[in-house]
Amino acid sequence: MSQPNQRFDANLVRLGAHHLEAFASANADVLLAVLTSGDGFEVASYPANLAMTPKIAAMSSSMQALSEALTREAGLAKNRNLIIETDSGTVLIVGLAGTQRLSLAIVAKSGELLGKLLWASRNLAKKLETSLQK
């Protein structure tokens, strides 16, 4: 299986890794942040090279697509995020706007406040969207 940096444009991988590292550094309870392609492949992640990351990338991409289909069927506007809360933490999936179908998957410990995590994740998505348009 090819590594994420071989599958995607080097600039996309570099920008993604940079933004994910800064995001994780600013949000101490974040365990994993991964930028995922629409077909379920890891573009970049922080921390890098975790065994679970490819599975998280694949599942989060599928969950993003499913949540978009659900909101369309319900007659709602475009879906941007999906939140999964458990007793031990949160998974947040945020779709990125733009020409490429990309999304973010964020895994955080239960200590992270959901509102803060959502706010920080949306800001990260905006930064990535802006960076990728250049």
Side-chain angles (χ1 to χ4, degrees), residues 35-55:
L35 180 61
T36 304
S37 67
D39 54 357
F41 291 100
E42 171 191 350
V43 176
S45 65
Y46 187 85
N49 302 317
L50 290 180
M52 73 171 131
T53 303
K55 292 177 186 176

Side-chain angles (χ1 to χ4, degrees), residues 30-127:
V30 169
L31 301 172
L32 173 68
V34 60
L35 180 61
T36 304
S37 67
D39 54 357
F41 291 100
E42 171 191 350
V43 176
S45 65
Y46 187 85
N49 302 317
L50 290 180
M52 73 171 131
T53 303
K55 292 177 186 176
I56 298 288
M59 288 185 277
S60 67
S61 175
S62 296
M63 296 291 290
Q64 177 70 16
L66 185 59
S67 68
E68 288 172 0
L70 178 64
T71 55
R72 274 194 310 274
E73 287 300 318
L76 300 173
K78 185 177 181 332
N79 177 48
R80 279 293 299 256
N81 8 287
L82 173 67
I83 301 167
I84 302 169
E85 292 182 86
T86 72
D87 289 340
S88 58
T90 303
V91 177
L92 177 61
I93 303 167
V94 181
L96 272 65
T99 57
Q100 301 179 30
R101 191 168 169 266
L102 299 170
S103 62
L104 289 168
I106 309 296
V107 179
K109 296 186 277 187
S110 61
E112 185 72 73
L113 296 174
L114 180 56
K116 179 181 178 276
L117 181 65
L118 187 56
W119 173 82
S121 298
R122 286 179 178 167
N123 283 339
L124 172 59
K126 288 177 187 174
K127 288 177 184 176

